[in-house]
Amino acid sequence: MTESSAPTSAQTSTQPPQDPAYTAAVIDLLGAISYGELSAFERLAEDAKLAPTLEDKVAIGSMAAAEFSHLERLHVRLRELGGDPYAAMASFQVGFDQFHAHTQPADWYEGLIKAYVGEGIAADFYREIAAYLDPATRDLIVASLADTGQSAFVVDRVRAGIADDHRLGGRLALWGRRLMGEALTQAQRVAAERDALTALLAGGVDRPGLDLAALGRMFARLTENHAQRMADLGLDA
């Protein structure tokens, strides 16, 4: 996936985990990422049923397993911070499930686009926030959001599908734009509905944060990364 460019000053921030407000924000963030990983595992496992070949089934299944493998490390960090991993995930279950219900793929190709584009937007958003965290948590999040092989696989399959049927490109471009809108709305909701995350993004006297201009630049980077992914797929953003 395409990685975002976070502010340089934030990359050196080492806010101590002993700060209760900071700890609460990190627990929220890790809970959101954990439930996102679990959801990705479930969706990819379902997508494997739609795969047209055995090779595709194995590839999608491998991606699902990789997503699930991230959960253990995220839960270890949550416990280190004094959080309950399942309570942290449960805080985001309804919102995430609603997002997935609104963006249910209709076929194999729409599932591929969602795995690539939808997960890519979410990963970019979390990497942006991770730039404001302590190094140990930041590194864990970046590692958990690393590409598990879906980029090359999805690009190959989608481009081949469009080559076989040029009408597919128009439909998938519309689907990608819809996913972008839904994913950005979900990202904004995650940040706005959790007070601890809102405070983390706002920063403080001894910790950098995002003002309105910086928030605008962050969402501009998310949009640019989305456009690049769509271009990689041979689709209009």
Side-chain angles (χ1 to χ4, degrees), residues 106-200:
D107 59 19
W108 163 247
Y109 286 107
E110 287 192 5
L112 289 178
I113 298 294
K114 183 174 178 179
Y116 182 49
V117 171
E119 293 299 324
I121 296 167
D124 285 345
F125 175 67
Y126 293 132
R127 275 191 290 260
E128 290 276 356
I129 298 178
Y132 296 86
L133 306 181
D134 62 277
T137 304
R138 181 179 66 232
D139 292 347
L140 171 63
I141 289 173
V142 170
S144 297
L145 299 173
D147 190 341
T148 56
Q150 59 265 51
S151 293
F153 176 80
V154 172
V155 168
D156 176 75
R157 295 303 190 270
V158 170
R159 281 188 170 271
I162 294 172
D164 290 339
D165 179 3
H166 294 295
R167 294 173 301 177
L168 181 64
R171 176 165 68 85
L172 294 182
L174 289 173
W175 175 240
R177 287 194 283 273
R178 178 184 170 190
L179 287 172
M180 176 63 174
E182 294 279 0
L184 284 181
T185 298
Q186 174 69 10
Q188 291 169 329
R189 184 181 298 119
V190 166
E193 292 184 354
R194 305 296 296 178
D195 291 341
L197 282 178
T198 301
L200 176 67

Side-chain angles (χ1 to χ4, degrees), residues 15-189:
Q15 180 72 11
Q18 290 80 7
D19 178 353
Y22 172 84
T23 300
V26 173
I27 287 173
D28 266 354
L29 182 60
L30 293 178
I33 295 173
S34 293
Y35 193 74
E37 296 282 8
L38 180 60
S39 297
F41 161 75
E42 292 177 329
R43 290 195 316 278
L44 286 167
E46 286 296 314
D47 289 345
K49 298 176 182 178
L50 301 174
T53 70
L54 288 176
E55 181 183 0
D56 290 339
K57 286 182 183 294
V58 170
I60 292 292
S62 295
M63 291 180 203
E67 297 286 359
F68 194 81
S69 70
H70 295 152
L71 275 179
E72 183 177 359
R73 285 178 293 169
L74 291 166
H75 285 187
V76 167
R77 183 60 173 156
L78 277 162
R79 293 189 181 98
E80 289 174 350
L81 294 169
D84 177 342
Y86 299 101
M89 288 196 299
S91 299
F92 299 93
Q93 185 171 3
V94 172
F96 274 69
D97 288 355
Q98 288 176 345
F99 166 77
H100 292 305
H102 292 156
T103 56
Q104 184 69 29
D107 59 19
W108 163 247
Y109 286 107
E110 287 192 5
L112 289 178
I113 298 294
K114 183 174 178 179
Y116 182 49
V117 171
E119 293 299 324
I121 296 167
D124 285 345
F125 175 67
Y126 293 132
R127 275 191 290 260
E128 290 276 356
I129 298 178
Y132 296 86
L133 306 181
D134 62 277
T137 304
R138 181 179 66 232
D139 292 347
L140 171 63
I141 289 173
V142 170
S144 297
L145 299 173
D147 190 341
T148 56
Q150 59 265 51
S151 293
F153 176 80
V154 172
V155 168
D156 176 75
R157 295 303 190 270
V158 170
R159 281 188 170 271
I162 294 172
D164 290 339
D165 179 3
H166 294 295
R167 294 173 301 177
L168 181 64
R171 176 165 68 85
L172 294 182
L174 289 173
W175 175 240
R177 287 194 283 273
R178 178 184 170 190
L179 287 172
M180 176 63 174
E182 294 279 0
L184 284 181
T185 298
Q186 174 69 10
Q188 291 169 329
R189 184 181 298 119

